């Protein structure tokens, strides 16, 4: 984030406004790899400088997971769907990066660019509206843990009740 901010006049102004120490504001962006990792004040200032950007770009993609919990591998695509629904046609011309850690030995980075398809069946807005994630989440029925226990007991009792020969 520091390198990106140093490359634009708006970013440099944001660094100053966030209280980033002058010594970090004067560094050449390409001379930074590895620099500043132990500087707690820089870390705190960068968190403040990036807060608005994270709220704008990342938070919309986390709304579904915040309501349903960890979906593991599907979290990446759920995040894309949530972002798509939240931003719709605002994604036109914008690059979206999805990164999945995997199990630690490998990961996947996917890159998409939103494209407007005027009058098409699959416009950014239409797909966002058809997904209807917010409505689907709002229509869920709340259940108690005892309801879940009852369902598991019923399944356990029914297991193997019907003879089966492969």
């Amino acid at each position: 984030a520091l390198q990106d901010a140093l490359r634009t006049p708006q970013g440099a102004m944001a660094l100053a406004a966030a209280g980033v120490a002058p010594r970090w504001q004067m560094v050449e962006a390409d001379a930074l790899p590895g620099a500043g990792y132990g500087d707690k004040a820089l870390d705190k200032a960068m968190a403040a400088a990036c807060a608005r950007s994270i709220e704008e770009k990342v938070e919309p993609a986390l709304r579904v997971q915040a309501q349903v919990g960890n979906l593991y591998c599907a979290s990446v695509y759920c995040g894309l769907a949530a972002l798509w629904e939240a931003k719709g046609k605002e994604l036109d011309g914008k690059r979206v990066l999805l990164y999945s850690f995997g199990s630690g030995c490998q990961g996947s980075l996917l890159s998409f660019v939103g494209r407007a398809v005027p009058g098409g069946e699959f416009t950014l807005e239409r797909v966002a509206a058809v997904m209807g994630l917010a409505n689907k989440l709002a229509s869920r029925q709340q259940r108690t843990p005892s309801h879940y226990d009852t369902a598991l007991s019923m399944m356990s009792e029914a297991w193997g009740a019907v003879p089966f020969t492969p």
Side-chain angles (χ1 to χ4, degrees), residues 20 26 35 75 82 90 107 113 119 122 130 145 156:
V20 172
M26 305 308 228
S75 290
E90 292 177 46
V113 176
F122 297 102
V130 168
S156 183

Side-chain angles (χ1 to χ4, degrees), residues 5-147:
L6 288 169
R7 288 189 169 97
T8 66
Q10 299 89 346
M13 288 188 297
L15 291 176
V20 172
R23 70 186 172 117
W24 292 115
Q25 296 177 40
M26 305 308 228
V27 176
E28 288 292 322
D30 294 324
L32 280 172
Y37 287 124
D39 189 326
K40 298 258 187 217
L42 175 63
D43 185 51
K44 187 176 180 180
M46 289 307 301
C50 295
R52 182 170 174 225
S53 181
I54 288 172
E55 183 179 317
E56 185 179 294
K57 296 176 182 178
V58 177
E59 291 296 327
L62 301 177
R63 291 181 183 149
V64 173
Q65 285 92 332
Q67 292 186 49
V68 299
N70 191 350
L71 301 170
Y72 298 94
C73 186
S75 290
V76 173
Y77 303 101
C78 185
L80 175 62
L83 178 68
W84 195 334
E85 182 174 75
K87 297 292 183 173
K89 67 180 178 180
E90 292 177 46
L91 292 176
D92 182 25
K94 302 281 170 94
R95 180 168 304 278
V96 175
L97 295 175
L98 299 175
Y99 181 73
S100 177
F101 295 53
S103 60
C105 67
Q106 71 179 31
S108 298
L109 178 67
L110 306 169
S111 173
F112 299 92
V113 176
R115 300 274 186 242
V117 183
E121 188 175 342
F122 297 102
T123 65
L124 292 168
E125 320 71 352
R126 180 161 160 55
V127 172
V130 168
M131 277 192 290
L133 292 175
N135 291 336
K136 288 176 181 161
L137 289 171
S139 70
R140 292 178 295 169
Q141 296 179 8
Q142 188 172 7
R143 298 287 187 228
T144 63
S146 62
H147 181 86

